Structure formats: C-alpha cells, structure tokens
Amino acid sequence: TGFHLEYSNKHFWSGRKTFEHPISRRYILFPLDEVSVRVINKDESKTEWSDKFSLTTIGSEGVFSCKDGHRELKMGVKVRLSKFSLTKIITVSPFYMLYNKTKDIISVLEYGQSINDVINLEPDQMISFWPVESDMLTVDINYDNSSTFSMPFKYTRNRNLFLKLASEIPGISIHVQVTGSANLITFNPYYEGAVPVLIVNMMEYSVVYRQSGKEEPDESMPIHVLYSGESQIIPGTVIWLLLR
C-alpha cells in the first residue's frame, strides 16, 4: 500500500494487542483471525481504526477504510492459503489503481482538486490512487502534459468508455474494472474504431448534432462522422439531429 500499517484485535487475550507492519517489511506474522487496521503517517499521527473484518474464510476478499480527517483511505484485502496449508496469506493492497497502457505520459487529476495534485503516469506504469473526495469519484486526464484536460468521468462501476481529447490524439479508451477488493482504471491507446458511434447522413440535407444537455451543436456533419459525447457523467445521453 505504501503505508505503515498497524493491525489490532481488541479482544486479543487481555486487552488490545497490536502488530505494526512498516513499509520496509513485505510481510509479518501474527496470530489473529479478526482485525482492525489503521495507518501510521510519516509525522507519527494515526488514522482512525477501520471496522473489524474476519480473516477466517479462505478465498474471501473485501474492502476496508481508514478515516484520516476529511480523507478516507480505502484498501482491499484478500485471504488465501499458503502451500504449507496451515498458514493463511493476507494481502492488503490499495483499492484504487491507475494503469497507463499507452505509449504517452498521462496526467490524471481528481475532479475538483488543485492542479498541484496532478498525478503523472509514465507509459506502462501502474500506481495506487487515493481520492480526496470519496463521495465524488471523477477524474480528468490528458496526454503528454498538455494544459487542457478532458471532461470528467465516473469510475465507480464496471464500464468501457471513450474520452475525447483536445490534442493531436483524438481520444483515449478507458476500461474500469471493479472487483470485491480492487478498482482498476486502465487507460488504453487510441485505435481506429475506438469511437463508440458512427453517424451516417443518408439524406440530401445538411445535419448538425449535439449531445443531450448541451446547448450548442458540435458541428455540421458531413456524409459520415465518428462521434463521442462531450460529457461522460450525464446519464442516458442521446444525440439530437437537427435539419437545416
């Protein structure tokens, strides 16, 4: 996770017993079947304890959160059996992950946050992502550190989408995969056919088009055009066609 963690079970023998798991150690041994977790920050301050969760069921996975002021640190946990068969392996990892599968640098910014909080993803890099506003999960992206960000999109459910970019590259494909213990957001390179809609004008009239909820039309349409809506957060968006 990149954090110094502390595990505890308040019913352990007599009173609370804790086990620290520093960043420098990949694994530790502890005899607990039910734990709470908190994060020890670099300044020695500590988050609140998470809710207790069980470690008894082999193959189970889940999510827990540690509240740190106005921020909520969400992590995933998986339980599996070791080859020794008597030892359980408990894996704790960040819940949100960003993966750049393109050949370009991608700048990621949580919606509503300062430009100083931008995250730069190198090609083929995967990193953890810790949202500040847990109740507004949207992200802005762009290519090659340009100054113009895309429209925001939600990443709280499984989906595939295409985002238009104001750059030499028309856009980027995004795959969101949510499981019981992780939320992986993958940025894929643009390819021919990635745009979700092809509009073909079979009439003798000129046509303009726009996305539902947008006042101004996008542009006049030629015989055919590949189209993707500007906004990815308007539910049930449609395309309106107007005849001139």
Side-chain angles (χ1 to χ4, degrees):
T1 64
F3 289 123
H4 184 149
L5 302 180
E6 187 174 19
Y7 311 113
S8 171
N9 185 332
K10 64 181 180 181
H11 302 299
F12 188 91
W13 296 328
S14 59
R16 181 183 288 275
K17 179 72 173 180
T18 62
F19 299 85
E20 291 192 18
H21 192 172
I23 301 174
S24 58
R25 298 187 60 182
R26 292 191 60 186
Y27 59 87
I28 63 170
L29 299 176
F30 62 89
L32 303 179
D33 287 329
E34 187 179 60
V35 299
S36 293
V37 181
R38 70 179 176 184
V39 174
I40 302 177
N41 297 310
K42 293 181 180 180
D43 60 1
E44 300 300 324
S45 63
K46 300 178 180 179
T47 67
E48 298 180 19
W49 287 104
S50 71
D51 293 335
K52 290 188 299 181
F53 55 91
S54 174
L55 305 176
T56 57
T57 305
I58 303 299
S60 64
E61 59 180 359
V63 181
F64 66 90
S65 298
C66 300
K67 292 184 178 180
D68 187 16
H70 66 285
R71 185 170 67 157
E72 188 175 28
L73 303 176
K74 185 175 289 189
M75 304 177 214
V77 60
K78 289 184 178 181
V79 182
R80 60 188 178 90
L81 199 63
S82 69
K83 294 181 179 180
F84 183 57
S85 75
L86 296 178
T87 302
K88 297 173 186 173
I89 299 177
I90 315 300
T91 304
V92 179
S93 58
F95 181 69
Y96 296 105
M97 299 292 294
L98 305 174
Y99 183 23
N100 179 12
K101 294 183 70 174
T102 75
K103 297 180 180 180
D104 300 270
I105 297 174
I106 294 180
S107 298
V108 179
L109 181 64
E110 183 182 359
Y111 185 68
Q113 298 304 308
S114 168
I115 191 66
N116 296 325
D117 297 323
V118 69
I119 301 171
N120 291 318
L121 279 172
E122 297 291 332
D124 206 33
Q125 183 182 21
M126 180 185 292
I127 63 172
S128 57
F129 173 51
W130 306 96
V132 176
E133 299 289 344
S134 59
D135 60 340
M136 189 170 66
L137 301 178
T138 57
V139 172
D140 291 339
I141 68 167
N142 73 346
Y143 262 100
D144 284 336
N145 291 324
S146 62
S147 58
T148 303
F149 281 83
S150 72
M151 295 292 288
F153 69 93
K154 292 185 179 292
Y155 55 89
T156 54
R157 59 182 175 84
N158 290 316
R159 62 186 305 199
N160 292 292
L161 62 146
F162 179 83
L163 271 187
K164 295 171 68 174
L165 298 174
S167 66
E168 295 181 0
I169 301 173
I172 184 172
S173 297
I174 300 172
H175 177 62
V176 181
Q177 181 181 15
V178 183
T179 66
S181 60
N183 185 327
L184 177 62
I185 305 156
T186 303
F187 304 100
N188 298 298
Y190 172 80
Y191 61 92
E192 188 174 351
V195 181
V197 178
L198 172 64
I199 305 176
V200 180
N201 183 7
M202 302 292 291
M203 300 181 295
E204 59 184 13
Y205 302 101
S206 297
V207 176
V208 294
Y209 55 94
R210 67 178 174 87
Q211 184 177 15
S212 175
K214 184 180 177 183
E215 295 184 359
E216 296 296 325
D218 288 321
E219 59 185 88
S220 179
M221 190 178 76
I223 297 177
H224 66 273
V225 64
L226 292 171
Y227 181 78
S228 176
E230 295 288 344
S231 175
Q232 295 291 338
I233 58 176
I234 300 176
T237 51
V238 296
I239 301 169
W240 293 87
L241 302 178
L242 304 176
L243 298 180
R244 285 179 174 176

